[in-house]
Amino acid sequence: MFATLIKLDSVYLKRFAYVLVCVLVFMGAVRIAYGLKVWKFGFDAETKLAERIITRMEKMDEFDIEKQYKLLQIGSQSLRKKYYIRKDKEQNSPELLDIAYYKEGIASGAYNFFYQADFLSDDVGLKTAAENPWFNVDAPHQWSVYHDWNHSNPMVREHVKRSLTYLMEEYKIDGFRFDLTKGFTQNSGTEERYDQSRVDIIKEYNAHIMSVDDDAVMICEHFVEDENWELGKDGILVWRNMNYPYTKAMRRNMSEADFYGTTNGFNADGTMADWNNFGMLVGFQESHDEERVNYLGQWEDNNGPSIPLATRMERAKINAAFFLLSPGPKMIWQFGEIGYDISINENDRTGKKPCKTAEYMAVKERKALYDTYAMLIKFRKDNPRFFDYDVNFRWYVGGNEQTGRYLFARSAEGQHFALFGNFGTGSKSIGVELPDGVEKWYDYQNKSSVWNGSSHTTTMAEGQFYLLVSDPAMCLE
């Protein structure tokens, strides 16, 4: 290209150079402006968060205006470097996290801890410096964000374990969610298949956590199926992404709304297929990586017609019932309980989203969805034996069950509950065969409503469900 330019007349060359300079200056200005915008957004967000934390701290009985408090951020991404371990002569109080975040000094899981690091760059700032002792200069796998820890290095594993100990002992943290654990390997090409070195590293971290507090929890964002079961036997929890089928159910495409993966497998007779792995799957309908089910639920599948808000909220209720009343832990993503329907791509995928809590709670259909979530969670908390490893559990929630779906559970003590509802379009006549051995069934939400015997047929509105129990003492007052 240069050889071609010098053959041009000097007037054209000058014009070309002038245009090129203008373009480069404009591009530089745009880049600086965008960088400032991103920085200001992050700064404003952190400032608002700090203000909210300080407001909560000042309301706590333990707050002492004579003390100095340092707001310590752990995990995820930050404008500051991470503070994994206390510096020499630095005094941190365990009251810090307790007062700022947790009621009555009860700590909770640290979300996204040990995310790929965002420091130790080379002079250009785009890659890890070659002389660094901890990170791969180039990640050997595709699951890397920022700089990639070399977990095969004993020094790195020791650093991670010491940091975990510090957080658990100093701040009473009782659980960790590890991000992108597919990347805990030096082996290229094993992202979707079994990697023994990766399994060993994750198990080592879990064993260390258990050695500090055997009631602590380790959750991995893993998504390697055969490794998941191996990790589960070690007591490690893993995410179970159920966004696709529950979104299909919201959009009235029940042939693709297979809920079976929500929980552990059960045999045809209702017994646990592999009780050693019970409770390892943390099911979720939506997350920070997935589109909102209520956003896509505004339209029928395959570019179909729109679905009215009232109908959508009813379908969200029945989704929640079958989701929350299956055994095993569940994750509810923020504002799902009020039918948040702003797209994940609003203001860019990771951009700021509008907070609509007050607005949504003033809408009766959304408030009713919130109340349904509260009711279902109360049922779980009041009746834990229905959700234990020795439950007898049967449900019919595959693609063949396109209208009526059913869930039956019997605790080891002989108590029963039954859940069934209408996933079809519009009102439907739903038939149900309740389990034998129970003479009277009681509506959990209205114990004066009694169902006698096993065989019943009833007309149900779209999204309507019944939760029946065998003992009226279990019903809401």
Side-chain angles (χ1 to χ4, degrees):
M1 181 177 179
F2 181 75
T4 302
L5 286 175
I6 61 176
K7 292 180 181 179
L8 295 175
D9 184 89
S10 61
V11 174
Y12 294 106
L13 184 59
K14 289 179 180 179
R15 290 178 179 176
F16 176 79
Y18 176 76
V19 172
L20 181 61
V21 168
C22 291
V23 170
L24 291 175
V25 170
F26 175 76
M27 291 176 63
V30 169
R31 185 175 182 180
I32 292 171
Y34 181 75
L36 289 173
K37 177 183 177 182
V38 171
W39 179 86
K40 185 178 186 304
F41 168 72
F43 180 82
D44 289 347
E46 291 198 354
T47 300
K48 290 178 181 178
L49 175 62
E51 290 173 351
R52 289 197 297 268
I53 293 172
I54 292 170
T55 300
R56 293 183 64 182
M57 289 174 64
E58 291 175 340
K59 294 179 180 178
M60 294 290 186
D61 294 336
E62 300 92 336
F63 180 76
D64 185 350
I65 197 171
E66 300 297 327
K67 289 184 178 180
Q68 285 189 342
Y69 293 88
K70 173 182 175 182
L71 298 180
L72 175 68
Q73 178 168 326
I74 60 175
S76 197
Q77 304 171 47
S78 171
L79 297 179
R80 302 177 298 275
K81 294 180 179 181
K82 314 288 188 295
Y83 295 90
Y84 290 133
I85 298 177
R86 181 171 55 195
K87 297 178 181 179
D88 184 39
K89 297 181 181 180
E90 181 180 72
Q91 293 186 357
N92 293 335
S93 168
E95 295 175 351
L96 182 66
L97 290 181
D98 292 348
I99 292 177
Y101 295 103
Y102 309 119
K103 183 180 180 182
E104 298 175 356
I106 301 174
S108 185
Y111 188 76
N112 256 21
F113 200 66
F114 291 113
Y115 200 95
Q116 278 83 351
D118 58 356
F119 55 95
L120 286 184
S121 296
D122 60 10
D123 292 338
V124 180
L126 300 178
K127 294 184 66 173
T128 304
E131 65 271 18
N132 92 87
W134 291 337
F135 303 103
N136 295 308
V137 175
D138 295 297
H141 53 83
Q142 67 180 10
W143 299 106
S144 177
V145 181
Y146 301 112
H147 300 262
D148 186 65
W149 292 97
N150 177 3
H151 289 276
S152 294
N153 185 338
M155 183 171 64
V156 168
R157 297 201 302 278
E158 180 63 21
H159 163 72
V160 171
K161 289 186 286 188
R162 286 180 60 199
S163 303
L164 291 169
T165 298
Y166 171 65
L167 289 166
M168 296 173 76
E169 292 182 348
E170 185 80 1
Y171 296 112
K172 314 306 178 188
I173 297 295
D174 59 9
F176 299 89
R177 184 269 197 183
F178 285 71
D179 195 67
L180 290 172
T181 49
K182 282 184 179 182
F184 285 20
T185 181
Q186 291 298 104
N187 299 323
S188 179
T190 65
E191 291 87 352
E192 307 300 331
R193 59 183 175 84
Y194 192 89
D195 183 332
Q196 187 63 58
S197 67
R198 177 168 54 208
V199 171
D200 292 342
I201 288 168
I202 295 173
K203 283 186 173 183
E204 181 179 338
Y205 290 151
N206 183 61
H208 180 77
I209 291 171
M210 295 301 107
S211 72
V212 179
D213 179 1
D214 58 9
D215 287 328
V217 176
M218 179 178 182
I219 305 174
C220 291
E221 183 195 37
H222 205 62
F223 302 124
V224 183
E225 196 65 15
D226 50 355
E227 289 184 13
N228 283 347
W229 297 107
E230 174 108 11
L231 298 176
K233 290 178 181 178
D234 217 48
I236 299 168
L237 307 185
V238 296
W239 283 151
R240 171 67 84 177
N241 186 350
M242 297 300 295
N243 178 259
Y244 182 84
Y246 284 95
T247 297
K248 291 297 182 180
M250 282 293 297
R251 306 185 77 181
R252 293 172 168 167
N253 184 354
M254 298 309 297
S255 63
E256 296 186 50
D258 186 331
F259 296 167
Y260 282 117
T262 308
T263 187
N264 289 77
F266 286 80
N267 298 316
D269 63 357
T271 57
M272 174 69 67
D274 185 3
W275 64 269
N276 285 315
N277 290 67
F278 176 77
M280 61 165 280
L281 302 175
V282 183
F284 61 84
Q285 295 187 57
E286 51 192 5
S287 75
H288 66 292
D289 284 328
E290 305 297 337
E291 183 58 275
R292 292 282 184 171
V293 296
N294 276 285
Y295 170 73
L296 292 176
Q298 295 178 90
W299 308 276
E300 286 191 14
D301 212 7
N302 301 318
N303 299 314
S306 61
I307 301 175
L309 173 66
T311 304
R312 281 196 287 125
M313 295 301 102
E314 292 302 312
R315 296 192 73 87
K317 287 182 190 178
I318 195 171
N319 257 5
F322 278 81
F323 175 70
L324 292 173
L325 298 189
S326 61
K330 303 292 186 290
M331 189 268 282
I332 302 171
W333 188 234
Q334 52 190 3
F335 311 129
E337 71 279 5
I338 52 177
Y340 193 79
D341 48 18
I342 304 298
S343 173
I344 192 174
N345 295 312
E346 175 82 10
N347 191 28
D348 294 329
R349 190 172 182 85
T350 57
K352 185 178 180 180
K353 307 296 189 291
C355 182
K356 291 181 169 288
T357 303
E359 175 187 337
Y360 279 13
M361 289 293 280
V363 177
K364 64 177 183 179
E365 292 86 356
R366 295 185 185 275
K367 177 59 165 60
L369 175 61
Y370 175 90
D371 291 340
T372 298
Y373 265 86
M375 178 269 291
L376 295 169
I377 293 171
K378 175 176 173 55
F379 181 81
R380 280 190 66 122
K381 292 178 66 177
D382 291 347
N383 302 282
R385 295 293 285 133
F386 283 132
F387 306 94
D388 214 337
Y389 74 95
D390 54 358
V391 66
N392 186 281
F393 178 82
R394 294 178 294 120
W395 63 341
Y396 306 93
V397 290
N400 292 328
E401 286 80 31
Q402 297 192 27
T403 302
R405 292 198 169 187
Y406 311 88
L407 185 160
F408 307 114
R410 184 184 73 241
S411 70
E413 293 75 23
Q415 298 278 41
H416 292 255
F417 85 82
L419 172 71
F420 60 97
N422 173 24
F423 278 91
T425 301
S427 296
K428 300 291 182 184
S429 179
I430 304 296
V432 59
E433 287 291 331
L434 298 170
D436 294 330
V438 179
E439 293 184 2
K440 291 184 177 182
W441 294 84
Y442 301 87
D443 189 329
Y444 173 69
Q445 300 183 75
N446 178 17
K447 65 181 177 182
S448 63
S449 177
V450 180
W451 299 53
N452 295 302
S454 299
S455 298
H456 298 274
T457 300
T458 182
T459 299
M460 304 179 73
E462 182 173 348
Q464 184 181 1
F465 67 87
Y466 283 104
L467 174 57
L468 306 180
V469 295
S470 59
D471 185 349
M474 289 190 284
C475 295
L476 295 173
E477 295 297 332

